[in-house]
């Protein structure tokens, strides 16, 4: 199921068992202070995206007002409304998207939020602590914690290439939001969850994110072409 509030997308569910929302943190010598610091660094860069009847999340990637989100969040729309972490709403235009990669780029009209720190080139480890940030069910600025469950999951039907699997709670409305490490760096774009079926289904501890290196390659191409 795609994690936006638009079209549902049910993934393969062989062997899937419910685990509930997880807040476990890998034993990396870090603790609540590191989690709080990482959340404080990323939340100002995260936006809530409203695109017609669809809703999701996104985050600023540069000082030029460019924002990444998922293609399925903005599909069929030329312009959207963004709610910043301050509560202010601003218009944005869709400058392009890649359906196969499920990545889209928006451009804010007016003052933009601070760009997120991007973890491009930063290696991920299974068991590493991560945070998922976004607007699940319209609750903007929501932060959930978990770990990297797998770093190159290919048994999915979303995205082009391997996905990051995480047990950080991802729900409808999280699509396009960042997955971040405890340095506050974006390591992935939250995109989908495995469910037992149906758009009303929620998180069972299996979520998928597009790796930030691939997402930025797509985003930079979209920006260059438009």
């Amino acid at each position: 199921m795609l994690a936006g509030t638009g079209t549902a997308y049910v993934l393969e569910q062989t062997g899937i068992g419910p685990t509930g929302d997880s807040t476990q943190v890998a034993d990396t010598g870090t603790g609540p202070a590191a989690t709080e610091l990482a959340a404080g660094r990323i939340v100002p860069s995260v936006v809530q995206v409203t695109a017609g009847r669809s809703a999701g999340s996104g985050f600023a990637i540069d000082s030029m007002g460019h924002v990444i989100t998922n293609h399925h969040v903005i599909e069929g729309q030329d312009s959207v409304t963004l709610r910043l972490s301050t509560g202010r709403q601003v218009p944005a235009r869709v400058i392009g998207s890649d359906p196969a990669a499920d990545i889209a780029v928006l451009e804010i009209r007016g003052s933009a939020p601070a760009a997120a720190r991007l973890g491009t080139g930063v290696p991920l480890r299974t068991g590493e602590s991560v945070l998922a940030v976004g607007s699940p069910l319209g609750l903007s600025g929501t932060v959930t914690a978990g770990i990297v469950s797998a770093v190159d999951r290919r048994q999915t039907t979303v995205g082009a290439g391997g996905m990051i699997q995480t047990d950080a709670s991802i729900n409808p409305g999280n699509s396009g939001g960042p997955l971040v490490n405890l340095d506050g760096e974006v390591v992935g774009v939250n995109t989908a969850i495995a469910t037992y079926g149906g758009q009303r289904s929620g998180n069972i501890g299996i979520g998928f994110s597009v790796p930030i290196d691939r997402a930025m390659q797509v985003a930079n191409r979209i920006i260059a072409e438009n």
Side-chain angles (χ1 to χ4, degrees):
M1 177 179 178
L2 299 176
T5 57
T7 304
Y9 204 120
V10 180
L11 303 179
E12 298 254 350
Q13 296 164 9
T14 304
I16 294 175
T19 60
D21 292 345
S22 172
T23 56
Q24 71 182 100
V25 177
D27 183 12
T28 59
T30 58
T35 301
E36 183 178 352
L37 181 60
R41 285 174 172 168
I42 188 61
V43 166
S45 303
V46 180
V47 300
Q48 181 177 354
V49 181
T50 302
R53 299 180 62 182
S54 180
S57 305
F59 57 94
I61 58 172
D62 58 28
S63 61
M64 304 299 290
H66 293 125
V67 170
I68 274 186
T69 188
N70 283 133
H71 165 79
H72 73 261
V73 172
I74 57 81
E75 186 174 6
Q77 302 294 318
D78 295 322
S79 60
V80 300
T81 299
L82 306 182
R83 179 175 178 173
L84 310 185
S85 63
T86 59
R88 185 166 61 94
Q89 295 193 26
V90 297
R93 71 181 183 99
V94 178
I95 67 171
S97 68
D98 184 327
D102 204 357
I103 293 295
V105 179
L106 315 176
E107 185 176 58
I108 293 178
R109 298 165 179 165
S111 58
R117 297 172 61 180
L118 303 179
T120 51
V122 175
L124 274 182
R125 306 180 307 276
T126 299
E128 181 176 348
S129 299
V130 287
L131 306 178
V133 188
S135 302
L137 306 179
L139 302 172
S140 60
T142 295
V143 179
T144 59
I147 63 170
V148 174
S149 303
V151 296
D152 190 25
R153 182 66 70 200
R154 294 179 181 270
Q155 293 92 333
T156 73
T157 54
V158 294
M163 303 285 281
I164 301 167
Q165 181 183 331
T166 181
D167 71 349
S169 184
I170 297 173
N171 284 289
N174 271 117
S175 276
L179 186 74
V180 304
N181 61 23
L182 292 193
D183 289 325
E185 300 168 325
V186 180
V187 296
V189 181
N190 299 322
T191 299
I193 57 176
T195 75
Y196 282 108
Q199 191 170 352
R200 295 182 182 275
S201 298
N203 179 271
I204 60 171
I206 303 176
F208 302 99
S209 304
V210 179
I212 190 61
D213 291 80
R214 187 163 77 241
M216 285 305 301
Q217 289 175 357
V218 174
N220 287 333
R221 173 174 53 78
I222 291 171
I223 292 169
E225 291 175 350
N226 293 274

